[in-house]
Amino acid sequence: MAAMAVKAAMQYFQTGFSLLPETGWVDHYALALNLTCGLIESYSLTASFQEAEELCHLVLSQAQSNLDKAKIYALMCYNSTLATQLDKTLEIGLQALKTLNISLEESPPEIIDIEQLRHLPKMTEPEKLAAMPILANMISSAMITQSPLIVSVTYTMVALSIKHGNCTKSPFGYVLYGHILTMSRTDVALGYRLGCLAIDIMETFKPCEVETMVLLQHNCLIRHFNEHARQPLNDYPRIVQLGKETGDIEFGSYAVANYMANILFVGELLAD
């Protein structure tokens, strides 16, 4: 059903764009931008990666502001990730951050009070809001390629949230920072609390576009430091289904792999 919806959406975007006049990018800029962004995402979700990339370059040449360029860069990162061109995702992400004048943080953010993070105001600055999805797209590629950028990208997401408020992508930064703290044994207790915080903040942004990512990262990378390894088993099927429903193919697929690994590690039969 979800695949059919994506194909139908793609047809609508194509039809809408075809109906624009030759001066569409001048006379109807916002509409042209929204239609092409929707079409790019549809191409990515149907594995038409080359078409998506070509359209991205076309839209970049028409973009009238750095914020609009950042929106396209975010789609390019997503497309490259789905096409498993992970080094390219990181290159595009760095280029996008430079466009937005966002520098990567090299030092860990200071977290004094978890409750303070829970009650931060909503992020409103356009440049910071544009940077967060780009940073989120970079994280998974950095993890898989074992790039050292994973740490600085995570620090930057958390730092932007602390300084400028929470947004829909903030929970992903918190859960990844929790992962860094638990895996390094720097502060396992704080890392676990950050994972729980990410889920709580995510609930305030429902529907949250990073829900599949956050739930997977918490269950796969953090939760077993403080709970029995069997505890996440009941959550994995829901995470897989959530990935299907929201179109998060990447993290939905990771959830399937980690679900099977978790079953194996706790000694249950795969057939069950």
Side-chain angles (χ1 to χ4, degrees):
M1 183 64 70
M4 293 174 61
V6 172
K7 289 182 179 180
M10 182 167 60
Q11 292 175 349
Y12 279 117
F13 288 130
Q14 288 173 329
T15 301
F17 189 73
S18 69
L19 293 174
L20 289 174
E22 291 184 5
T23 57
W25 280 107
V26 176
D27 299 332
H28 307 282
Y29 174 77
L31 178 58
L33 180 65
N34 288 332
L35 286 172
T36 49
C37 284
L39 186 54
I40 289 167
E41 188 170 6
S42 300
Y43 279 147
S44 297
L45 290 172
T46 54
S48 301
F49 304 125
Q50 185 62 37
E51 290 85 346
E53 183 174 359
E54 290 174 358
L55 191 54
C56 281
H57 289 295
L58 169 65
V59 182
L60 278 176
S61 68
Q62 300 290 342
Q64 296 180 359
S65 70
N66 285 339
L67 284 175
D68 289 341
K69 288 180 180 179
K71 183 185 297 186
I72 303 306
Y73 281 131
L75 291 172
M76 291 177 73
C77 285
Y78 182 60
N79 185 64
S80 297
T81 300
L82 292 183
T84 65
Q85 297 174 329
L86 306 182
D87 290 331
K88 187 174 183 178
T89 298
L90 297 176
E91 291 174 9
I92 295 170
L94 291 173
Q95 184 178 356
L97 294 176
K98 185 176 181 180
T99 300
L100 293 168
N101 294 315
I102 301 290
S103 300
L104 291 179
E105 298 283 343
E106 299 300 333
S107 300
E110 184 178 3
I111 296 179
I112 301 174
D113 184 2
I114 287 286
E115 289 305 310
Q116 183 181 12
L117 299 181
R118 191 187 308 276
H119 299 294
L120 287 172
K122 289 187 177 181
M123 187 181 292
T124 57
E125 291 189 36
E127 289 78 8
K128 308 304 184 293
L129 286 169
M132 291 295 277
I134 294 167
L135 290 163
N137 280 328
M138 292 175 67
I139 282 179
S140 60
S141 295
M143 290 180 68
I144 295 172
T145 59
Q146 299 183 338
S147 168
L149 284 173
I150 179 65
V151 175
S152 55
V153 169
T154 300
Y155 287 171
T156 305
M157 289 192 76
V158 176
L160 286 175
S161 297
I162 292 173
K163 294 175 184 176
H164 303 283
N166 287 325
C167 67
T168 57
K169 299 291 187 181
S170 295
F172 195 38
Y174 292 137
V175 78
L176 262 297
Y177 190 30
H179 166 55
I180 290 173
L181 291 174
T182 52
M183 287 297 291
S184 64
R185 307 299 197 276
T186 304
D187 193 332
V188 172
L190 178 58
Y192 179 77
R193 291 176 65 199
L194 281 169
C196 295
L197 172 74
I199 294 175
D200 291 343
I201 292 179
M202 186 176 66
E203 294 297 322
T204 67
F205 287 101
K206 286 280 193 173
C208 186
E209 55 201 25
V210 296
E211 189 170 3
T212 307
M213 305 177 189
V214 170
L215 291 175
L216 173 63
Q217 300 299 326
H218 180 65
N219 281 278
C220 172
L221 301 176
I222 296 177
R223 197 170 172 184
H224 62 278
F225 282 95
N226 205 60
E227 302 177 39
H228 194 280
R230 290 183 181 274
Q231 291 298 109
L233 286 179
N234 292 331
D235 287 345
Y236 276 117
R238 180 167 67 92
I239 299 171
V240 173
Q241 183 60 33
L242 186 63
K244 292 180 181 178
E245 293 174 356
T246 59
D248 193 341
I249 299 172
E250 180 188 0
F251 281 87
S253 300
Y254 297 155
V256 173
N258 282 281
Y259 182 34
M260 292 188 292
N262 202 163
I263 290 174
L264 180 64
F265 290 153
V266 299
E268 293 196 4
L269 296 176
L270 292 177
D272 294 337

